[in-house]
């Protein structure tokens, strides 16, 4: 069997005085044509037993021919629509008498043969309209000239066709198990576990099969070809195949899928023009494909809570790169656990702990009328995001670190909802105070720069001299020291940088001194201190705490210093 475009068919007809005969399935010729892959591109020639990819312009039909020479020949034809529904019809007509036998006589003129082949309607065997992968299978087909007509009425699209006269032995598509459904075995807020039965092609015939899962939020897909089309940068039309490429030019790389040795990297997108027409790049589709080898269970992670996802499974024969779709499924991830809302009391500091990437909600409902409300927030570790709503209206939304104070306009009987979102790096700890009394200050004021500076030239074998900035507000400062190993790293120091841990967590032996300090001139709000009684060639971690009027403290950034070894 050979599929033939009409003009090519006529060129292949013998032009001598010998009896004429349509092309037959010559196995040696067929193998040669398989090796010469350009032979089948951009034409209507389909080899017996190989899948081809082609394309359709909207409302422009396309026709294929193939010849079955003997009666009672098995025949299977598979048409796979990709990104648009297709109308297709398979029909058969008798072969021209002169071409089907070994008769004698003068050959018919070329035009007469063309009319004889193409003008007859033939007998319709099968027709279909839709976007399912559809099959025509017959165990006993009559000899004749078969023609396959395809049409897309929605848009420019591409499709795949496979035809064979040996369907029992070919079996290029993986076989589905008796139960081809995907089971959802476990459901979480951000994870879904899927399980499926293995393809008999793998479990019984021992052919190399891998399973590919496709996840998206829109709908299920009926073929891997449809997935590839969706991932294309121009989902209205595929780039036309070029001679010299593989049988299936619309392979995974063209469609943005990573190759087997590049599966962990972000997928690329096809950027091309369609016969001179410029294609505009479209937004990245929210569609993901992951191949899991021969596993029969897989957990999809990093999903969004309370979101419906569609899951499709494709068994792919890695020898032929041809695939079969399992019955897709869908599932909605579980909702986020309902957050407990913490009630804030006027003028009282509340400690808040937030998991990594988590969030906490707090509520403040002043009992008396007020003109202003003040929120003082102390982020102990990394930056956090704070949002404040008054009776549902967003008043404040920003990232912050260290100590910040937010003063908002008040409103009678108003209720405030505060949302604190943690860091992506790790857990967050905060202290927060809400008050309607403007003079109520629990947290000390801080300068913009909370680093401790060490003077290298003033360093001796037994002392170091440091300085830090203060503010215009009179506060108490306490300095502490702790001997550390020489290999103490900045990373260790960063892990201990919890600004909310106060002097009460330190040993008495680590205390150097406490003093009060401020300056009305902010430019001169600098203090220095020499720390004595240190050991030669030793490393020390220095901490400065500023303590506010309410007794709450804030730690400056720790400083690692080292005394001189020789003096």
């Amino acid at each position: 069997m050979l599929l033939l475009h009409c003009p090519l068919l006529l060129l292949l007809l013998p032009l001598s005085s010998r009896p004429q005969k349509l092309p037959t399935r010559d196995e040696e010729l067929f193998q040669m044509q398989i090796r010469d892959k350009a032979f089948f591109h951009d034409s209507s020639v389909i080899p017996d037993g190989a899948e081809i990819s082609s394309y359709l312009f909207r409302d422009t039909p396309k026709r294929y021919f193939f010849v079955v020479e003997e009666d009672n020949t098995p025949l299977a034809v598979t048409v796979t629509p990709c990104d648009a529904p297709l109308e297709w019809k398979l029909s058969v007509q008798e072969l021209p008498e002169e071409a089907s036998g070994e008769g004698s006589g003068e050959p018919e003129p070329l035009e007469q043969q063309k009319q004889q082949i193409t003008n007859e309607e033939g007998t319709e065997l099968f027709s279909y309209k839709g976007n399912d992968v559809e099959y025509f299978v017959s165990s006993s087909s009559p000899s004749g000239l078969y023609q396959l007509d395809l049409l897309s009425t929605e848009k420019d699209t591409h499709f795949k066709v496979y035809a064979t006269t040996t369907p029992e032995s070919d079996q290029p598509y993986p076989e589905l198990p008796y139960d081809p459904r995907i089971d959802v075995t476990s459901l979480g807020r951000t994870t879904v576990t899927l399980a499926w039965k293995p393809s008999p092609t793998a479990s019984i015939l021992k052919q190399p099969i891998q399973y590919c899962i496709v996840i998206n939020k829109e709908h299920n897909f009926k073929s891997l070809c449809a997935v590839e089309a969706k991932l294309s940068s121009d989902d209205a039309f595929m780039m036309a195949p070029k001679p010299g490429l593989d049988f299936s030019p619309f392979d995974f790389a063209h469609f943005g899928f990573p190759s087997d040795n590049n599966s962990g990297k972000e997928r690329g997108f096809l950027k091309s023009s369609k016969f001179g027409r410029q294609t505009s790049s479209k937004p990245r589709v929210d569609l993901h494909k992951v191949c899991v080898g021969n596993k029969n269970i897989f957990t999809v992670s990093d999903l969004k809570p309370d979101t419906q996802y569609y899951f499709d499974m494709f068994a792919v024969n890695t020898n032929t790169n041809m695939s079969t779709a399992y019955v897709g499924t869908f599932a909605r991830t579980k909702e986020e656990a309902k957050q407990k809302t913490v009630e804030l009391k006027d003028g009282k500091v509340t400690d808040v702990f937030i998991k990594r990437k988590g969030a906490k909600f707090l509520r403040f409902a002043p009992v008396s009328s007020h003109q202003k409300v003040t929120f003082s927030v102390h982020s102990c570790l990394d930056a956090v995001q704070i949002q404040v709503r008054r009776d549902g209206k967003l008043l404040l939304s920003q990232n912050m670190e260290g100590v910040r104070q937010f003063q908002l306009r008040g409103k009678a009987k108003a209720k405030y909802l505060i949302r604190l979102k943690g860091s992506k790096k790790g857990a967050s700890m905060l202290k927060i105070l809400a008050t309607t009394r403007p003079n109520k200050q629990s947290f000390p004021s801080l300068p913009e720069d909370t680093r401790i500076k060490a003077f290298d030239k003033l360093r001796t074998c037994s002392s170091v001299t440091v300085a830090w900035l203060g503010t215009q507000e009179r506060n108490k400062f306490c300095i502490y020291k702790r001997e550390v190993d020489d290999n103490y790293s900045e990373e260790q120091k960063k892990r201990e940088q919890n600004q909310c841990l106060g002097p009460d967590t330190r040993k008495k032996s680590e205390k150097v001194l406490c003093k009060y300090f401020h300056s009305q001139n902010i430019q001169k709000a600098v203090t220095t201190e020499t720390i004595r009684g240190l050991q030669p060639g030793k490393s020390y971690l220095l901490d400065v705490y500023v303590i506010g009027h309410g007794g709450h403290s804030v730690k400056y950034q720790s400083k690692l210093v080292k005394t001189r070894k020789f003096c």
Side-chain angles (χ1 to χ4, degrees), residues 18 45 68 80 94 141 193-194 201 305 307 334 339 368 387 414 417 449 456 465 513 524 544 556 560:
R18 291 176 297 171
V45 177
V68 174
T80 304
E94 291 185 3
S141 296
T193 300
L194 306 172
T201 307
T307 304
K334 291 184 178 180
Q339 292 281 354
S368 58
Q387 285 186 348
L417 183 67
D449 190 347
D456 187 63
T465 300
L513 59 86
K524 296 182 179 180
V544 170
Y556 278 45
L560 187 64

Side-chain angles (χ1 to χ4, degrees), residues 26 39 44-45 73 82-83 93 142 179 186 190 228 245 270 347 357 398 498 535:
D26 184 316
F39 180 79
S44 293
V45 177
T73 299
C82 292
D83 52 342
Q93 56 180 283
D179 181 2
S186 177
T190 60
E228 295 164 357
L245 297 179
L270 179 66
K357 293 184 180 180
Q398 63 177 263
N498 185 343
Q535 298 297 315

Side-chain angles (χ1 to χ4, degrees), residues 524-535:
K524 296 182 179 180
V526 182
T527 185
T528 61
E529 196 64 46
T530 299
I531 302 159
R532 306 179 191 279
L534 307 179
Q535 298 297 315

Side-chain angles (χ1 to χ4, degrees), residues 64-318:
Y64 292 93
F65 296 97
F66 61 90
V67 172
V68 174
E69 292 186 322
E70 299 178 1
D71 288 332
N72 303 317
T73 299
L75 176 64
V77 178
T78 303
V79 177
T80 304
C82 292
D83 52 342
L86 295 181
E87 299 178 21
W88 63 274
K89 178 179 71 172
L90 181 67
S91 56
V92 62
Q93 56 180 283
E94 291 185 3
L95 289 170
E97 188 175 334
E98 290 291 332
S100 59
E102 295 291 336
S104 59
E106 294 297 317
E108 296 177 348
L110 194 62
E111 284 302 314
Q112 187 175 342
Q113 291 191 44
K114 181 178 178 181
Q115 291 176 3
Q116 190 173 5
I117 293 173
T118 60
N119 286 354
E120 296 181 17
E121 283 298 320
T123 303
E124 183 176 314
L125 299 177
F126 183 80
S127 65
Y128 174 75
K129 181 178 180 180
N131 59 357
D132 281 326
V133 179
E134 195 55 67
Y135 313 86
F136 170 79
V137 180
S138 173
S139 60
S140 179
S141 296
S143 63
L145 178 68
Y146 287 72
Q147 67 183 41
L148 178 66
D149 296 284
L150 302 104
L151 177 68
S152 172
T153 58
E154 284 194 8
K155 61 178 180 177
D156 297 351
T157 184
H158 77 287
F159 60 93
K160 295 186 177 184
V161 176
Y162 171 79
T164 180
T165 54
T166 55
E168 289 298 321
S169 60
D170 284 1
Q171 296 185 351
Y173 295 99
E175 186 181 346
L176 290 176
Y178 68 91
D179 181 2
R181 294 173 298 179
I182 306 170
D183 294 320
V184 177
T185 61
S186 177
L187 198 60
R189 289 191 294 272
T190 60
T191 61
V192 173
T193 300
L194 306 172
W196 58 94
K197 293 176 175 61
S199 165
T201 307
S203 58
I204 298 175
L205 301 180
K206 305 301 181 183
Q207 292 190 24
I209 299 295
Q210 74 166 343
Y211 301 98
C212 295
I213 303 169
V214 174
I215 308 107
N216 80 105
K217 298 179 186 177
E218 295 181 4
H219 55 76
N220 288 109
F221 288 90
K222 297 182 179 180
S223 69
L224 198 53
C225 177
V227 175
E228 295 164 357
K230 184 70 173 177
L231 285 170
S232 168
S233 62
D234 179 0
D235 87 22
F237 187 78
M238 298 295 101
M239 184 172 65
K242 295 179 181 179
L245 297 179
D246 202 354
F247 262 178
S248 299
F250 306 112
D251 59 13
F252 287 170
H254 284 76
F255 283 107
F257 288 116
S259 61
D260 290 341
N261 60 2
N262 196 28
S263 58
K265 296 183 180 180
E266 195 169 343
R267 53 174 191 259
F269 281 81
L270 179 66
K271 294 182 180 177
S272 63
S273 60
K274 44 181 182 179
F275 297 107
R277 293 179 286 176
Q278 293 298 316
T279 59
S280 59
S281 60
K282 297 195 172 184
R284 187 182 294 267
V285 292
D286 193 5
L287 177 67
H288 301 279
K289 174 194 165 208
V290 56
C291 293
V292 298
N294 58 4
K295 294 179 182 178
N296 299 121
I297 187 168
F298 184 74
T299 298
V300 184
S301 57
D302 293 327
L303 303 176
K304 293 182 178 178
D306 194 25
T307 304
Q308 182 158 299
Y309 289 91
Y310 295 85
F311 303 95
D312 292 289
M313 171 65 61
F314 299 95
V316 182
N317 187 324
T318 56

